[in-house]
Amino acid sequence: ITRRSPRMMAATTFQMVGLMLSARPVAAYRLKLPLPGEYHSMTKFSSRDKYPPRERTNSLVPPRSHRSPQPECSQSREVLLSASLDDEKVEQLFAWLSMAFAGESRYNNLMLAFAAIFGEHAQDSHLQGLVDEALANLPPEDQAVGESFSLGEREASSMGAMGAAQWTGRFKTRPHALLDVRPFESIDEWTQGLSRGSRRTLTKALAQNFSVSVRPIHGDEPAPHSSLAHFRCVVAHEVRLLADSPENFFDALSQAIGRYVNTVSQTGEIREYRDARGRVIAFAHEVRKGRTIRGQWFYANDEAAKAYVWFHSVRDLVKRAIEAKGVTIVDLGPSGSDSFSMLKERYGFASIDNWHMVADYQGPFWYDDRRINGGDDGFFDRLLRMAKI
């Protein structure tokens, strides 16, 4: 990812051209893969190609235009893809992405990544060679390898996910789930107002055997969660929620990549969850701006999903918001489904259409309970004030 594109969305810029469901009765696909230059280079085109390499729309680094035509290639090959996921394939995918983000043009193609990692091909093939080379450069499990964005860049990148489009009047976002914490003197008072079933769930969450650590995101250094360990959580989370059929498996992987890129380019802090063996099982990404704390992102693997980690993170967020001076609202953002909106409502979060009229985001970002403004967001604050008139 280049410094000019910290907010790249994989779901919209990655394209799986020629992907179609196999007739075989297994979770497999046939991918008709263009082979320009016999795979010698991902960006090498044959003499019949009409468009320069930078116009390709299936690249990891997004093209300048999202409407670029597909190149004509001199030949193509079908690769059978298996829609199955394990730890080894996640490592291979992260290794491939690390090479692409490091500027290796041969890896700047998600379609080719899927073919190499999930496809059937010979062990001595060029595809396998690319995977082996990427694995040879695989960073350690917990090493942060993201780009060192400045604090101002991270704050600007966070605005979109926080719903700045509704502040600016560009378009109306989905309703946000908001909780006004001003009526509560303590976390116990909030808990007592919940249903018996919700209180029982929180009790189970508090009884789990995991540890939680706070990891601030600083400017001019990689985000603490830009590691393979955290990437595993994002992939597991998206595949669990979105890959409800073989047809959606690769879409879920594309979404996971885009969401990972988003969260590691933004500001705030991470609440990192590790199991008894010290492995990362989940993380909650939070951002405080003005008088609101936003639960920006949450990703968990299957183990964490069974250990009530999300419920623990919500309770912890509400507790800190009640105790923090000057915080009035906890914003859990939009929900991906009506059932998730209903789940949030059980814990006191109301789904609000004009949420920007309730959640006060005016003012600087906060870090370690201190106001720090890494960029000039006065423009957004002026728009917020205008929207509330």
Side-chain angles (χ1 to χ4, degrees), residues 12-80:
T12 57
T13 60
F14 300 158
Q15 294 188 3
M16 295 296 294
V17 182
L19 187 65
M20 51 189 174
L21 186 64
S22 169
R24 295 174 60 178
V26 295
Y29 293 84
R30 290 192 183 277
L31 175 63
K32 190 173 183 181
L33 188 65
L35 300 180
E38 285 286 349
Y39 276 133
H40 291 315
S41 171
M42 303 257 288
T43 57
K44 182 179 179 181
F45 279 64
S46 70
S47 59
R48 294 179 57 188
D49 295 331
K50 294 182 178 180
Y51 306 102
R54 70 178 181 86
E55 295 296 332
R56 297 192 69 175
T57 58
N58 59 331
S59 60
L60 287 164
V61 178
R64 296 178 182 273
S65 171
H66 293 291
R67 296 185 178 182
S68 302
Q70 292 296 321
E72 291 182 2
C73 299
S74 57
Q75 52 189 310
S76 64
R77 181 185 305 169
E78 282 195 343
V79 179
L80 185 66

Side-chain angles (χ1 to χ4, degrees), residues 39-327:
Y39 276 133
H40 291 315
S41 171
M42 303 257 288
T43 57
K44 182 179 179 181
F45 279 64
S46 70
S47 59
R48 294 179 57 188
D49 295 331
K50 294 182 178 180
Y51 306 102
R54 70 178 181 86
E55 295 296 332
R56 297 192 69 175
T57 58
N58 59 331
S59 60
L60 287 164
V61 178
R64 296 178 182 273
S65 171
H66 293 291
R67 296 185 178 182
S68 302
Q70 292 296 321
E72 291 182 2
C73 299
S74 57
Q75 52 189 310
S76 64
R77 181 185 305 169
E78 282 195 343
V79 179
L80 185 66
L81 304 184
S82 175
S84 62
L85 191 67
D86 54 31
D87 287 344
E88 182 180 358
K89 284 185 169 56
V90 175
E91 290 177 3
Q92 292 174 357
L93 186 57
F94 188 77
W96 187 288
L97 297 175
S98 297
M99 296 289 281
F101 297 155
E104 288 284 346
S105 60
R106 294 172 300 150
Y107 292 85
N108 190 24
N109 188 314
L110 185 64
M111 183 170 66
L112 196 63
F114 287 169
I117 296 169
F118 298 94
E120 294 182 359
H121 45 75
Q123 289 299 309
D124 59 350
S125 67
H126 182 71
L127 288 175
Q128 187 61 47
L130 288 171
V131 173
D132 292 342
E133 182 180 345
L135 286 174
N137 294 279
L138 178 67
E141 182 83 11
D142 289 307
Q143 179 178 324
V145 295
E147 185 169 350
S148 299
F149 295 110
S150 70
L151 197 59
E153 288 175 313
R154 292 192 178 281
E155 292 180 354
S157 180
S158 301
M159 290 293 193
M162 294 173 71
Q166 187 146 331
W167 308 347
T168 59
R170 289 177 55 208
F171 57 84
K172 188 173 182 178
T173 65
R174 291 176 294 171
H176 280 209
L178 305 182
L179 173 69
D180 189 337
V181 298
R182 286 173 290 187
F184 308 113
E185 296 293 332
S186 67
I187 188 62
D188 291 335
E189 187 175 348
W190 170 73
T191 304
Q192 290 168 3
L194 303 178
S195 67
R196 179 181 300 178
S198 297
R199 295 198 303 270
R200 186 183 302 116
T201 299
L202 292 177
T203 300
K204 293 179 180 178
L206 293 174
Q208 300 300 313
N209 186 21
F210 48 66
S211 62
V212 188
S213 59
V214 182
R215 307 193 64 184
I217 302 173
H218 299 296
D220 300 315
E221 63 182 59
H225 57 308
S226 59
S227 73
L228 171 58
H230 298 84
F231 180 73
R232 292 187 193 276
C233 294
V234 181
V235 171
H237 190 94
E238 294 302 303
V239 169
R240 184 175 63 253
L241 294 182
L242 302 178
D244 53 358
S245 67
E247 291 87 348
N248 294 329
F249 177 77
F250 292 102
D251 286 340
L253 289 181
S254 296
Q255 286 279 358
I257 294 169
R259 290 178 179 274
Y260 168 80
V261 170
N262 272 333
T263 182
V264 300
S265 70
Q266 296 173 6
T267 192
E269 66 181 23
I270 301 302
R271 301 277 161 166
E272 182 184 83
Y273 288 79
R274 291 181 179 263
D275 62 15
R277 292 170 289 181
R279 300 184 308 178
V280 177
I281 59 174
F283 67 89
H285 184 168
E286 301 172 5
V287 181
R288 179 178 174 183
K289 188 179 189 300
R291 299 168 67 85
T292 301
I293 301 181
R294 170 68 190 275
Q296 192 91 316
W297 307 103
F298 177 85
Y299 299 109
N301 65 15
D302 296 345
E303 176 185 347
K306 299 175 183 177
Y308 304 96
V309 171
W310 181 81
F311 299 94
H312 184 281
S313 71
V314 171
R315 181 191 181 277
D316 185 54
L317 176 55
V318 172
K319 180 178 184 294
R320 287 182 282 108
I322 293 173
E323 296 172 351
K325 183 178 179 181
V327 174

